[in-house]
Amino acid sequence: MTHGSRKPLREGDGGPYVRFQVRYCGRLGVPVGIFAACHHLRRAGRLTPADDRLFTEVDGWFIARLPYPPFYADGNTVRAVPWFKPGAAALIAALAPLEDLLRRYAVPYDIVRSPDPGTIIYEDEFQIGVLPYVRRPAEGAVNAPGGLSR
């Protein structure tokens, strides 16, 4: 599913695990997730003040509701990648404002589903953290919004 289209999330559409990601790779060797992509827009100075506040609000809402995987405590040196579980439908729906930001700032993204996105190293009620089976080298900074390196 690409750039803003959205179907109801169902198992069987490629798998039960869901990830919102843009079309450039970051330091983890996989496409950058929706939150990191919005952070890139912010660091590049591309967000309007209102959009910056919106991102802060949505990010804070998720911080208050989504468990913080322990692999982030050391800066994610294991290079784990989070995916939503099927039971996270309410959290997935709450990503709509971030999807809108990506659309409005012309950052193409995909909603990817997989039955097996990698080796699971973390799991909570809403998400899994995986070590992807395949990684690519990080792409040149020119591919990130505003020419940012990741």
Side-chain angles (χ1 to χ4, degrees), residues 39-53:
H39 278 289
H40 292 167
L41 288 168
R42 171 184 275 165
R43 284 196 311 264
R46 292 188 54 201
L47 296 178
T48 66
D51 286 342
D52 191 84
R53 286 189 300 275

Side-chain angles (χ1 to χ4, degrees), residues 8-9 11 15 28 45 52 59 68-70 84 89 92-93 98 125 129 131 138 140:
L9 299 174
E11 284 194 50
L28 301 180
D52 191 84
D59 194 37
Y68 192 71
F84 284 108
I92 291 168
L98 300 187
E125 181 181 356
L131 300 179

